[in-house]
Amino acid sequence: MSDKIQSDPRAPARRKFWQKAGWRDATEIAFAADASFRRYFRLTRADGRAAIVMDAPPDKEDVGPFVEIAGILTGFGYSVPRIEAEDRTAGFLLLEDMGDLTFTRALEAGYSEGELYRLAGDVLGDLVQRDISGIRDRVPAYSDEKLLDEAMRFVDWYLRRGLGLPIGDDAREAYAEAWRSVLPSVRSVPEVLVLRDFHVDNMMVLADRQGLAACGLLDFQDAVIGPASYDLVSLLQDCRRDVSDEVADEVRARFFGAATEITDRDGFLRSYNVLGAQRHLKNIGGFARQSVHLGNHSYLRFIDRMWRFTLQNFSDEALAPVREWIEKHVPENHRVTPPPGGRAA
């Protein structure tokens, strides 16, 4: 066992967990950390078999929602990591290893962008048709209050702490009021199970499976019941990479073809644009927080692209109140990447 593993205070309990689950002869290797308190480790046996351990400190994370949403998605026929063992009290799950071929890596290896995005979009087109009446009491709602709370990260962490701009409380409240006037427009679409982080880093190519099952789904524990437009804009306006206009148009067309419940396409695109702006501004604030509060500067490289998407979404007049607030308080020379660690306001 490496010095790094030995210095990990949760390592003894984690090792005891996976040994009890039948992996006593395995070796453990850590994955790179993400933007949460969860950590992941791959267990490998001498015969080549592998599994994944999720380590979620119970005072920081709850593995319960992952187990709950995994059960729902499995019931829908989608591919998610099978849960082999669990200790919810200690915050450990033993999961099926779905491999290393994320959509991100597949694209870098030369896989067809069109084929991968069509598959992902088809999952969303199928998801919008699912009856969610039986899961509404098991999955939280994506309320306007929650959407607003997320949007406020832009002011609190990006403007104030990241850039050090003197945004007063009155201006902050005006920003909140602008969003309150805009958010009702996102509700003109069907409600679905929203996975919330539906992007190329959280999808796996499963070449041995057919149809929608060929798309492995990861990182869905924060799922909510909310607008069907949210995951589509998460997929097509991804801060990690640009999707070609041709592919994006095709994915949207296939989505509308499957989601016959959506009869007001203008209303859907309005919801799409508003939630796109909300998501980007939320993440600009969230990534600034990662840098300022946690010392994780790796996400700052995405901020320029998120600004570009935000300004693109602002062409929708439904976003006029938020756009006008940005034009007044965040002129173009302040739409920048903050320095690592931020600036104190």
Side-chain angles (χ1 to χ4, degrees):
M1 192 182 300
S2 70
D3 291 341
K4 185 175 181 180
I5 294 298
Q6 288 177 333
S7 67
D8 176 0
R10 285 180 58 80
R14 185 174 63 248
R15 184 177 180 84
K16 182 178 179 180
F17 164 73
W18 53 257
Q19 286 184 338
K20 184 179 179 181
W23 287 74
R24 182 172 297 275
D25 61 338
T27 57
E28 178 189 84
I29 299 176
F31 287 94
D34 63 12
S36 74
F37 292 102
R38 292 182 302 275
R39 292 183 299 160
Y40 295 89
F41 300 82
R42 171 169 280 142
L43 303 179
T44 307
R45 285 175 164 160
D47 63 5
R49 286 185 293 169
I52 302 297
V53 177
M54 178 194 291
D55 180 341
D59 60 329
K60 304 291 187 182
E61 301 272 355
D62 178 10
V63 299
F66 183 95
V67 175
E68 184 74 36
I69 302 302
I72 292 170
L73 293 173
T74 299
F76 287 166
Y78 305 140
S79 292
V80 302
R82 186 175 58 255
I83 299 171
E84 307 284 1
E86 61 181 84
D87 184 340
R88 299 196 195 190
T89 301
F92 298 122
L93 297 177
L94 183 67
L95 306 173
E96 172 191 5
D97 188 347
M98 300 177 81
D100 293 310
L101 193 56
T102 63
F103 276 29
T104 298
R105 290 176 178 145
L107 289 163
E108 291 170 349
Y111 279 62
S112 165
E113 179 187 60
E115 288 183 12
L116 293 180
Y117 275 87
R118 282 192 294 272
L119 175 58
D122 287 351
V123 171
L124 297 182
D126 183 79
L127 193 57
V128 77
Q129 301 174 65
R130 297 291 178 163
D131 180 8
I132 59 171
S133 60
I135 64 172
R136 284 185 177 274
D137 61 344
R138 299 160 57 192
V139 182
Y142 213 173
S143 65
D144 284 3
E145 291 78 11
K146 186 171 183 60
L147 287 165
L148 176 60
D149 182 65
E150 292 175 345
M152 299 309 295
R153 298 175 194 172
F154 173 76
V155 172
D156 296 338
W157 287 100
Y158 174 72
L159 297 181
R160 286 179 165 178
R161 301 289 299 279
L163 298 181
L165 298 183
I167 304 296
D169 290 344
D170 288 347
R172 182 184 188 277
E173 177 55 29
Y175 176 77
E177 188 55 38
W179 273 111
R180 290 188 190 101
S181 70
V182 165
L183 285 174
S185 64
V186 309
R187 304 296 175 182
S188 60
V189 300
E191 288 197 320
V192 300
L193 180 67
V194 177
L195 303 185
R196 290 186 67 194
D197 286 309
F198 194 80
H199 56 70
V200 289
D201 279 353
N202 287 336
M203 289 177 281
M204 306 292 298
V205 176
L206 303 178
D208 60 339
R209 305 186 192 185
Q210 301 297 315
L212 300 182
C215 178
L217 303 177
L218 306 175
D219 200 18
F220 43 74
Q221 60 278 333
D222 295 324
V224 290
I225 301 297
S229 49
Y230 190 92
D231 280 342
L232 190 63
V233 76
S234 174
L235 175 68
L236 298 179
Q237 290 189 5
D238 186 353
C239 68
R240 294 153 188 80
R241 68 184 307 274
D242 291 318
V243 182
S244 70
D245 290 342
E246 179 183 8
V247 168
D249 289 344
E250 182 182 5
V251 169
R252 279 190 292 264
R254 290 169 68 95
F255 176 85
F256 285 131
T260 55
E261 302 86 346
I262 299 173
T263 57
D264 179 6
R265 293 197 182 185
D266 289 340
F268 183 93
L269 292 174
R270 183 167 57 249
S271 178
Y272 178 98
N273 290 329
V274 170
L275 287 173
Q278 186 272 350
R279 179 176 171 80
H280 298 311
L281 293 173
K282 170 191 75 172
N283 284 337
I284 288 173
F287 293 167
R289 181 182 183 276
Q290 283 283 319
S291 177
V292 172
H293 187 58
L294 299 175
N296 179 4
H297 314 308
S298 63
Y299 294 96
L300 295 179
R301 69 188 187 275
F302 300 134
I303 284 181
D304 283 347
R305 181 178 282 114
M306 289 188 290
W307 264 118
R308 174 159 51 84
F309 282 138
T310 300
L311 299 176
Q312 176 183 317
N313 290 326
F314 277 170
S315 64
D316 194 316
E317 281 304 305
L319 279 157
V322 178
R323 182 187 67 226
E324 291 165 2
W325 190 95
I326 295 288
E327 290 171 346
K328 178 178 179 180
H329 296 281
V330 194
E332 187 172 352
N333 63 313
H334 288 310
R335 301 167 193 170
V336 297
T337 301
R343 296 191 181 98

